[in-house]
């Protein structure tokens, strides 16, 4: 449940986090659909259903927004690999890393 997970985090922080996530999801979707060059900040804010000022409260510009989305995505992949490595402890670590890296690169390529 969301309330349990966010216990101890104030309402404003949760709202800012939710808004930032909406913007990041919007930019990923739009770049995949239209391509980076064709996406305008207005497109991002409209898709995320937030105002232009809100966008600038979170990001410097479109480039910053896209780079933040990429950092988030790669962090998710890295955390997945770390979980898999922990689960496969005791096996040949080099083989596990090679397998996980292959999976990650395939996921990135098809994502």
């Amino acid at each position: 449940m969301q309330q349990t997970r966010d216990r101890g985090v104030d309402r404003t922080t949760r709202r800012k986090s939710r808004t930032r996530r909406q913007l990041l999801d919007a930019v990923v979707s739009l770049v995949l659909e239209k391509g980076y060059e064709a996406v305008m900040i207005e497109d991002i804010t409209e898709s995320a259903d937030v105002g232009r000022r809100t966008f600038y409260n979170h990001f410097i510009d479109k480039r910053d927004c896209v780079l933040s989305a990429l950092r988030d995505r790669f962090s998710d992949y890295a955390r997945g690999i770390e979980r898999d490595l922990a689960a496969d402890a005791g096996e040949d670590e080099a083989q596990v890393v090679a397998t996980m890296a292959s999976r990650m690169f395939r996921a990135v390529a098809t994502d």
Side-chain angles (χ1 to χ4, degrees):
M1 187 176 248
Q2 186 73 18
Q3 287 178 328
T4 304
R5 188 175 38 177
D6 291 338
R7 193 166 280 165
V9 178
D10 69 29
R11 186 178 188 177
T12 301
T13 301
R14 287 192 313 266
R15 188 185 77 247
K16 286 179 181 179
S17 179
R18 199 171 38 248
T19 300
R20 182 178 174 85
R21 173 57 38 211
Q22 286 172 255
L23 288 162
L24 292 172
D25 289 346
V27 77
V28 168
S29 177
L30 289 165
V31 167
L32 289 172
E33 176 187 329
K34 299 167 77 168
Y36 177 82
E37 293 298 326
V39 174
M40 307 303 283
I41 290 173
E42 182 179 335
D43 299 327
I44 300 166
T45 58
E46 186 175 314
S47 179
D49 197 28
V50 300
R52 189 173 184 86
R53 275 171 79 180
T54 299
F55 176 89
Y56 287 109
N57 285 334
H58 292 273
F59 305 105
I60 296 167
D61 54 19
K62 177 177 76 169
R63 179 181 179 272
D64 183 37
C65 185
V66 169
L67 289 175
S68 293
L70 287 170
R71 276 191 295 275
D72 282 4
R73 186 63 53 106
F74 283 108
S75 293
D76 290 344
Y77 290 133
R79 280 191 295 277
I81 288 172
E82 289 171 350
R83 276 191 308 272
D84 290 345
L85 280 172
D88 293 335
E91 292 188 32
D92 178 18
E93 189 171 294
Q95 182 60 40
V96 173
V97 170
T99 302
M100 294 302 118
S102 293
R103 281 190 212 158
M104 183 186 82
F105 293 138
R106 273 196 300 280
V108 168
T110 59
D111 194 7

